[in-house]
Every structure is written in C-alpha cells, then in structure tokens.
Amino acid sequence: MAVAGRAALTRFVLKAAGSGRSCSSRVRFSDCAGFKLNAQVLESALNLGRGLTLTLLTFLGYKTYRNIPGSLLVYANQTVEEIIDQADYLYGTGEVTKLYHLLIEHKNSTNGELLWRLARASRDLAQLKSTTLEKKRQLTYEALEFAEKALEENELSFAAHKWYAICISDVGDYEGIKAKIANAYVIKEHFQKAIELNPKDATSIHLMGLWCFTFSEMPWIQQKIAAAFFATPPSSSYEEALQYFDKAEEAEPNFYSKNLLMLGKTYMKLKNEKLALLWLTKARDYPARNEEDKQVQKEATELLKLLIGSRT
C-alpha cells in the first residue's frame, strides 16, 4: 500500500532532563529512564517559528525515531489535520503500536476521519502475533465501537463504511455462526456503500470480491444453518467475485498481494489454468513487505506446485 501522510509527526515536544528526570503528564515516567535528547537542540528547533513545519523524522532521523517507545511520543497543541497526517505516516511505515498510542489519546473525538483511523489502528494491534487472546478480543470490540462512532459522525465517509464492515466481520468470530451469517448482510451493505462513495478505492472493491468468494464456497453445514434462520441466506458466485477482483486491479494495479492471489484462486475455481498460473505467479513474485505478503507468497507457491503438478 502507498505510504500516506504529508507532514508526519509535527510539533513534537519531549521533556526529559536531569538525573531526577520528570516527564510531561502524557509521558509514562518508567519510559523516561535511559532516554537522552539534547534539550538545547530541541529548543532551537522549536524556536524556528510557527511558519516552519518540523517533523520528527527530519529532526532525529528515521533510525533514531524507530527506537523511541511509542509511549514517549508527546503531541502538543495539534490540529486534527496534523494528528491525521501523523497517523497516516505511522500507518504507512507500519508502526502499529505507535499509531495506536497516538490515536487512542483522541478516543473521545467527534471527527469521523480520526475515528475510523482509530478503529483501523485498534484492529491492526489486535492482529499482531504478540497480542494476547484476551487483548485481541478487547481490541476487536473496541475497533467496532470506534468504527460505529465514525459512521455516526460522517455517514458519507467511504472509509468509515469500509472499516465498519471489516470490524463487524472480526467481531463475528466471537459470536457464533448464526451471528456471523446475519452480519454478512450488513458487511455487504457497507462494502457496497463504500464503493458507491468512492468507486476508485481498490481495497473496498477487493473486500467485496472477498465477500463474494467466501459465500461462493460456504460449507454445506453453514448453508443449512443459514437456510434455517434466514429466508434468503447470503450467496454469490465465483464469477461475481472475479468481477470485483478484476475491478480492484483496474482501479489500482498491483496494489495488494492478496488481490493477485485471489485472482489466481478464483481462476482455479473457474478451471482457467492459464490465467490462474499468471496471477498466482504475480502473487508469488510480489515483494514481501509484511507478514501478510509472506503468507501470500507461501500460499501462491503451494498452489503453483499443485497446478503445475496436475499438468504433468
């Protein structure tokens, strides 16, 4: 995904000096020990004036910035726009924990754009392997709460609809098959609304394709449960899924390794080996920038072996 953010990490203030060092009320005292920063240099930088935008990245350098604990970041007198800029930068650089620490400070905000980013940050933190099962559940429900608030504040935000759909899908993992199937209608509705509001958002289109693919191969037992509780249980087809995956790629070519993988898997389902090989090869060769990309590479490689083996 493209790195977002125009003026990341602005108006940064950090106070940590002296042997009996005390910290700003927004800094955890335990995190101050051992951290040294030239106060004179910082003071000089801050005196450059309001007209000059400072970024922590430029000031300290990226390597130094990465070594600062998330709870040591202090954000003073910022506008919502500046907070969003910082959030987009942190999201683009994969700083999940720092992003969450930044945004959770503004959990009572009434700004929809900030709130859906907080929902996303909560979800991303829940997805980390280092997150305990209990904490994951808490963050999953927290993410849904923030997504709901984002929608309440701005029903015309395509991103709020998208992340609400994603978060309610996650919650379904804790509420059983019946709830999960019932949520499927809501999820589809919000993905479609996100696409309506922003037809060029490749991610929303991809997720709608994933919804279609999922309900094209819903297990028999789930179909029976769905039929028992709903007059018209959710359903789709591989052809419909393919249309969305194709549209996502048209909107933003090569934007997401999983979209390449799903194109390959869908063509496999449709018995089109030639195009399945094409897209699975692209998925396998996609540069791995995160854990998900690595998993995509692994699955694509295994599917390619299966396809090539069936042709010999």
Side-chain angles (χ1 to χ4, degrees):
M1 301 289 182
V3 175
R6 299 176 300 279
L9 305 177
T10 56
R11 300 184 184 180
F12 175 88
V13 178
L14 191 150
K15 296 180 180 179
S19 57
R21 190 159 32 226
S22 64
C23 298
S24 166
S25 60
R26 282 192 167 185
V27 180
R28 293 190 181 94
F29 179 79
S30 60
D31 288 327
C32 291
F35 185 82
K36 296 181 180 180
L37 184 65
N38 188 318
Q40 291 182 339
V41 174
L42 180 59
E43 181 179 1
S44 297
L46 293 175
N47 287 334
L48 288 176
R50 294 182 180 180
L52 179 62
T53 300
L54 293 177
T55 67
L56 181 59
L57 176 64
T58 303
F59 183 59
L60 292 177
Y62 182 61
K63 289 184 179 179
T64 305
Y65 159 72
R66 285 181 61 89
N67 290 328
I68 301 175
S71 54
L72 270 178
L73 299 181
V74 183
Y75 308 91
N77 301 320
Q78 294 173 299
T79 65
V80 170
E81 184 179 9
E82 288 171 336
I83 295 166
I84 288 174
D85 283 343
Q86 294 176 25
D88 287 345
Y89 173 80
L90 290 171
Y91 180 73
T93 55
E95 298 286 354
V96 176
T97 304
K98 289 187 176 77
L99 174 59
Y100 179 80
H101 281 304
L102 166 66
L103 292 177
I104 199 63
E105 291 291 324
H106 308 281
K107 63 183 179 180
N108 295 320
S109 172
T110 57
N111 184 282
E113 290 298 296
L114 193 151
L115 287 167
W116 72 251
R117 285 171 169 83
L118 178 53
R120 180 181 66 183
S122 299
R123 181 186 187 270
D124 285 350
L125 191 58
Q127 298 295 313
L128 292 181
K129 288 183 178 180
S130 58
T131 303
T132 65
L133 292 177
E134 182 181 351
K135 186 64 174 178
K136 180 175 182 177
R137 180 188 176 96
Q138 175 195 326
L139 287 165
T140 298
Y141 279 92
E142 178 183 287
L144 178 59
E145 178 186 346
F146 293 134
E148 286 176 330
K149 288 181 179 178
L151 270 181
E152 289 171 4
E153 296 299 334
N154 185 4
E155 292 186 351
L156 296 180
S157 168
F158 82 92
H161 283 280
K162 174 172 67 178
W163 285 99
Y164 178 76
I166 292 170
C167 292
I168 202 170
S169 176
D170 291 341
V171 165
D173 292 338
Y174 297 99
E175 299 188 345
I177 294 175
K178 181 181 176 182
K180 201 171 182 70
I181 293 172
N183 287 343
Y185 297 98
V186 180
I187 293 166
K188 181 180 182 180
E189 175 188 345
H190 285 279
F191 281 150
Q192 289 178 328
K193 186 64 176 179
I195 295 169
E196 176 189 327
L197 290 168
N198 185 358
K200 296 297 184 181
D201 181 51
T203 307
S204 296
I205 302 169
H206 164 81
L207 291 169
M208 191 62 236
L210 202 57
W211 188 97
C212 294
F213 188 94
T214 300
F215 285 100
S216 297
E217 60 174 13
M218 185 165 63
W220 176 83
I221 185 63
Q222 290 189 16
Q223 291 180 22
K224 290 297 182 183
I225 294 172
F229 290 107
F230 306 100
T232 54
S235 63
S236 188
S237 66
Y238 293 119
E239 287 81 4
E240 186 176 14
L242 181 62
Q243 289 178 7
Y244 282 109
F245 294 139
D246 273 333
K247 286 180 181 178
E249 207 61 30
E250 289 173 11
E252 190 177 342
N254 215 39
F255 77 104
Y256 186 28
S257 63
K258 192 166 184 179
N259 197 64
L260 304 177
L261 176 68
M262 294 310 300
L263 278 163
K265 291 176 70 171
T266 307
Y267 276 118
M268 283 185 70
K269 294 291 185 180
L270 295 172
K271 310 299 182 184
N272 188 328
E273 290 189 6
K274 182 179 179 180
L275 287 176
L277 284 168
L278 171 67
W279 290 105
L280 288 173
T281 301
K282 288 186 176 185
R284 181 198 64 192
D285 296 341
Y286 191 91
R289 300 186 179 93
N290 51 49
E291 189 60 35
E292 185 178 32
D293 290 337
K294 292 176 184 177
Q295 290 300 317
V296 164
Q297 285 183 343
K298 181 180 178 181
E299 186 175 355
T301 300
E302 291 171 353
L303 291 173
L304 282 168
K305 288 179 181 177
L306 187 65
L307 268 179
I308 294 170
S310 67
R311 299 176 74 182
T312 57

